[in-house]
Amino acid sequence: WEGGNMKILIVEDEEDLSSMLKFLLEKEFDAEVECVSDGNEAEKRIRANAYDLIILDVMLPGVKGITLCKIARETLPNADTPIIIITAVATELEERLKGFECGADDYIIKPFNHKEFIARIQAVLRRSGKISKDVLKFMGIVLDKRSKSVTVDGKPVHLTKTELELLEFFLEHPEQLFSKEELLELIWKGEHDETTRTVDVYISRLRKKLGEKGKYLKTLPRLGYKLTKNPET
């Protein structure tokens, strides 16, 4: 995320769900998350503060979610803010159409999968230009594709062209396993005299340069490498 912490408003009266969404968003986007359980309080905040994303439940005490969506669209600080509506309402289609008519960007039906929830948010933020594919982030590692610069926990790290390409590739495919042969083909392309040993050498160098974060670049013996949030498993 560029330009400081992302500000997200969650309007949800189910406390457990609200806490879980807050945890997910803080972890995934390093975001500043406000949780509100009442529609009247949410209206005040929507009118007063600018957010980068608003997540609204439909059924709320006080002002309902659809009305809040309408208010956000008509109020300057959040006229263009991406809005995702979540609901357990059985009359899905009718409710969904109402939401889209009011300017919602997406709709998620409860119960939903955590991964789907994050993927939907990423898609909405990308479409709105709130997150850019030019900046890749993973556990404190940030790579800016435009300036070809890398920072780890905010500190600049100098990488060679091949190390940079390797890191960029892993950042674009987190949690995916690649064999040494695949990496050789993908990074060094068809025209090379390198062997799989070259891949080992570059991974080792990259790990060193990433310091403590190098642990996320995991070796799976005889299988290959992957960038993972759970290097111990």
Side-chain angles (χ1 to χ4, degrees), residues 8-212:
I8 299 176
L9 177 66
I10 297 174
V11 188
E12 168 58 68
D13 61 335
E14 272 181 57
E15 208 174 302
D16 289 352
L17 179 59
S18 186
S19 304
M20 185 267 287
L21 296 181
K22 183 178 195 288
F23 171 76
L24 278 178
L25 293 167
E26 284 174 343
K27 189 171 163 231
E28 192 68 33
F29 298 101
D30 196 19
E32 193 183 309
V33 183
E34 292 175 25
C35 293
V36 178
S37 58
D38 168 84
N40 299 329
E41 174 60 27
E43 182 183 349
K44 282 184 209 158
R45 296 204 195 190
I46 285 168
R47 290 187 184 280
N49 309 318
Y51 295 98
D52 297 299
L53 174 69
I54 296 171
I55 294 168
L56 290 174
D57 189 16
V58 172
M59 303 306 289
L60 291 163
V63 185
K64 298 290 175 261
I66 298 290
T67 309
L68 287 171
C69 184
K70 215 184 245 170
I71 289 165
R73 286 290 168 255
E74 292 163 0
T75 310
L76 200 56
N78 295 296
D80 299 320
T81 300
I83 295 174
I84 293 180
I85 291 180
I86 50 176
T87 182
V89 177
T91 54
E92 279 174 40
L93 186 63
E94 199 181 314
E95 279 297 321
R96 230 182 299 189
L97 290 173
K98 271 191 218 164
F100 286 131
E101 278 162 21
C102 293
D105 294 272
D106 202 355
Y107 225 93
I108 301 182
I109 309 292
K110 298 178 198 171
F112 45 80
N113 172 288
H114 294 185
K115 282 183 180 169
E116 184 202 357
F117 175 69
I118 293 297
R120 293 280 196 97
I121 287 175
Q122 285 172 329
V124 162
L125 291 173
R126 254 190 219 112
R127 285 201 300 272
S128 68
K130 292 276 180 188
I131 57 173
S132 158
K133 287 179 181 171
D134 289 331
V135 177
L136 303 169
K137 293 191 170 191
F138 187 91
M139 307 299 280
I141 303 165
V142 180
L143 187 154
D144 188 323
K145 288 160 77 170
R146 293 159 303 187
S147 62
K148 302 289 181 200
S149 61
V150 175
T151 59
V152 174
D153 290 337
K155 296 190 179 93
V157 173
H158 176 71
L159 299 181
T160 64
K161 182 174 175 288
T162 306
E163 288 164 355
L164 189 72
E165 283 174 13
L166 203 50
L167 180 61
E168 188 177 312
F169 180 78
F170 278 113
L171 289 171
E172 285 181 335
H173 303 89
E175 306 298 343
Q176 291 181 46
L177 174 66
F178 294 94
S179 70
K180 294 175 190 181
E181 289 77 13
E182 284 172 322
L183 290 169
L184 208 48
E185 199 56 39
L186 292 159
I187 306 298
W188 282 265
K189 310 291 186 278
E191 302 297 311
H192 65 79
D193 305 317
E194 310 295 341
T195 65
T196 53
R197 178 79 192 110
T198 304
V199 179
D200 297 333
V201 169
Y202 272 92
I203 295 274
S204 173
R205 281 188 203 159
L206 185 53
R207 271 208 197 103
K208 278 201 186 99
K209 290 190 179 180
L210 293 175
E212 205 257 325

